[in-house]
Amino acid sequence: MYCKLTNYIRKGIIDNRVEGQTKLALYFKGTKKPVKFSLEGNCLQDLAGCLVEFKNPYPEKAPGLQPGKINEAKGVVGDITASQRYIKEKNKIDTCFRLEFFSGHSEIYLIESDDFELKVSLPEWKMNAFDEQVQIMTNQQAFRTQVLNWIKDCANNQEDAPLPDYYWDKRLREADAIATAYIEIYQKYHQYPDGDIRVAFVMGWDDILADIAQAEESGSSCTSSNPGFLTLFDILTDDERKEVESCMNHSLFMQVMEISEACQQEFIQEISAVQKGQVNLESDLNDLFQCIRFITPRILASLLHVKDSSADYRTLSARMELCSNQIKQVLGNNNAGENALIPADILDKLQDLLDEVRHTQQTWSSISKHEC
């Protein structure tokens, strides 16, 4: 969800000396000219009214970066503070620098670190505690708008055009976006006493907000039952869950899940390091996980379409061919051996899956020809 810029910034300037207006100048490694943003709103109380200069001691060069295309883009502030709460160690809360801002219809940018060097001027004007709460609430409303727009854009992003886009294609993309957004929002707010309220508000879960309010009135407890992540079944309706459960027992999809679980277990340390923003995946591993992310919703959606009496088997066959090509690409780039990043047993599972996908594709292709 976030466009995370932390690793690629070498230095930056935040200018909030004019109340209600925040100017950003971001310098990326390998570039001389800054990317500039003009934002509505203020920093939070600790940086409000100040000129802030920050420097990343360990910047990395961003692949394919073309900052010259952005010139004084407009947007609104998110939380801009040097006092963002985060859990540093078990049961210990620390603070870090956080620069969050929004631009365009659904762009959400984040720079966050406890390693940056900060230089903060004396404030030109001062923000009181009440005004800070107003700014926080304004930020959360802007965050909510961007998140909901982002989820909608993901759901409507028809990646396999010109192939037709059906109900389950869009619904699974939407569910994936909701789960992705929830992880980021939960990580930001869960350490706050009112974290459940903040998360529910930004996610647009007004029914949960009503439940929390009712629980507070009655003096009962109402906390999140999904700390940190959501499964597909947490997002779907009861009727949708029944449909998906029936297809998840299909042998083809069970093979996909077996590979996914094997990769999660095999590369748990690498995944954790990526989630913490410490490293990027090696290209072979990145290709593997991109492949799994590509084929999983397409195979599940295709099996769901088969249950529809008006299923278009020509389209379903074409979808399986796309999945087949993705798997073949991973297998073609990897050979089992002493220096192989992907273990032989996972490559064998991928080969078995490829055979099953090809068989399914041929079956559906044959059905489509008979229908013609």
Side-chain angles (χ1 to χ4, degrees):
M1 178 186 69
Y2 278 114
C3 179
K4 296 183 178 179
L5 306 176
T6 305
N7 293 344
Y8 312 119
I9 295 291
R10 59 184 176 88
K11 68 176 183 177
I13 299 171
I14 305 169
D15 187 351
N16 186 211
R17 291 175 294 182
V18 176
E19 189 171 0
Q21 175 181 299
T22 301
K23 299 269 190 180
L24 299 182
L26 305 177
Y27 295 80
F28 290 82
K29 183 175 181 179
T31 65
K32 294 182 179 180
K33 294 184 178 180
V35 179
K36 295 182 179 181
F37 290 87
S38 180
L39 309 176
E40 294 181 11
N42 300 306
C43 302
L44 298 187
Q45 193 173 23
D46 60 335
L47 301 181
C50 300
L51 180 69
V52 182
E53 299 177 57
F54 60 91
K55 183 178 180 182
N56 181 1
Y58 312 109
E60 302 173 9
K61 189 170 183 179
L65 181 67
Q66 294 180 306
K69 290 189 175 182
I70 302 177
N71 185 19
E72 200 69 21
K74 297 186 181 299
V76 296
V77 301
D79 291 345
I80 303 178
T81 175
S83 304
Q84 172 68 29
R85 294 157 59 109
Y86 77 102
I87 298 177
K88 186 174 184 179
E89 298 173 1
K90 188 175 182 180
N91 299 324
K92 182 180 178 181
I93 294 179
D94 210 331
T95 58
C96 69
F97 170 70
R98 183 183 184 94
L99 169 54
E100 177 187 74
F101 63 100
F102 317 121
S103 182
H105 176 69
S106 60
E107 288 81 14
I108 307 172
Y109 296 95
L110 178 65
I111 300 170
E112 184 177 51
S113 177
D114 58 0
D115 291 328
F116 281 11
E117 302 168 10
L118 296 181
K119 182 181 178 182
V120 183
S121 73
L122 292 174
E124 294 288 329
W125 57 273
K126 292 187 178 181
M127 173 184 284
N128 60 38
F130 175 80
D131 287 339
E132 181 180 51
Q133 288 304 310
V134 171
Q135 185 65 59
I136 289 172
M137 293 177 68
T138 301
N139 295 351
Q140 288 178 3
Q141 179 62 62
F143 195 16
R144 171 183 167 120
T145 298
Q146 296 294 105
V147 167
L148 297 182
N149 284 342
W150 181 81
I151 291 172
K152 183 178 180 180
D153 288 347
C154 288
N156 292 328
N157 181 23
Q158 187 179 352
E159 298 172 331
D160 297 339
L163 293 179
D165 206 28
Y166 298 116
Y167 169 80
W168 278 109
D169 301 314
K170 182 175 180 178
R171 186 67 174 115
L172 293 179
R173 290 196 301 264
E174 180 184 40
D176 181 63
I178 290 171
T180 299
Y182 178 75
I183 292 172
E184 301 279 9
I185 295 165
Y186 178 87
Q187 288 176 346
K188 177 180 178 180
Y189 291 129
H190 77 279
Q191 71 271 28
Y192 289 88
D194 60 349
D196 283 344
I197 296 175
R198 296 184 186 215
V199 170
F201 177 78
V202 173
M203 290 296 300
W205 294 340
D206 296 335
D207 55 337
I208 294 180
L209 286 174
D211 291 341
I212 293 174
Q214 186 175 6
E216 289 180 346
E217 288 180 5
S218 63
S220 59
S221 160
C222 181
T223 57
S224 172
S225 60
N226 304 295
F229 66 93
L230 293 175
T231 68
L232 180 61
F233 294 120
D234 294 319
I235 298 167
L236 300 178
T237 66
D238 290 341
D239 289 341
E240 288 173 333
R241 280 196 290 269
K242 292 177 183 177
E243 292 291 308
V244 169
E245 283 175 344
S246 67
C247 291
M248 281 186 164
N249 292 323
H250 191 283
S251 60
L252 175 59
F253 192 76
M254 290 178 71
Q255 281 185 266
V256 175
M257 288 295 94
E258 184 181 356
I259 291 174
S260 179
E261 290 170 5
C263 290
Q264 294 286 336
Q265 294 175 4
E266 178 69 30
F267 304 113
I268 186 170
Q269 293 181 345
E270 290 85 349
I271 294 170
S272 177
V274 170
Q275 289 175 340
K276 294 177 182 177
Q278 297 173 344
V279 298
N280 294 319
L281 281 176
E282 296 282 348
S283 59
D284 288 353
L285 296 186
N286 185 64
D287 290 344
L288 173 62
F289 280 100
Q290 288 293 332
C291 173
I292 293 172
R293 189 175 181 85
F294 180 91
I295 67 175
T296 301
R298 285 164 176 80
I299 289 177
L300 180 56
S302 295
L303 294 172
L304 286 160
H305 295 327
V306 169
K307 295 170 66 67
D308 188 338
S309 59
S310 61
D312 177 1
Y313 283 93
R314 178 175 294 182
T315 297
L316 295 176
S317 175
R319 288 272 172 81
M320 288 301 99
E321 186 172 1
L322 292 176
C323 292
S324 175
N325 291 337
Q326 287 289 318
I327 300 169
K328 285 191 289 186
Q329 182 176 337
V330 174
L331 289 171
N333 293 338
N334 291 273
N335 294 306
E338 293 183 3
N339 299 322
L341 291 175
I342 303 176
D345 62 323
I346 291 181
L347 292 176
D348 289 341
K349 292 180 190 301
L350 271 177
Q351 182 60 57
D352 291 340
L353 176 61
L354 176 60
D355 294 339
E356 186 67 20
V357 169
R358 283 172 168 167
H359 174 72
T360 303
Q361 189 267 333
Q362 291 169 0
T363 300
W364 288 346
S365 176
S366 178
I367 293 173
S368 71
K369 291 177 181 176
H370 282 95
E371 288 179 339
C372 294

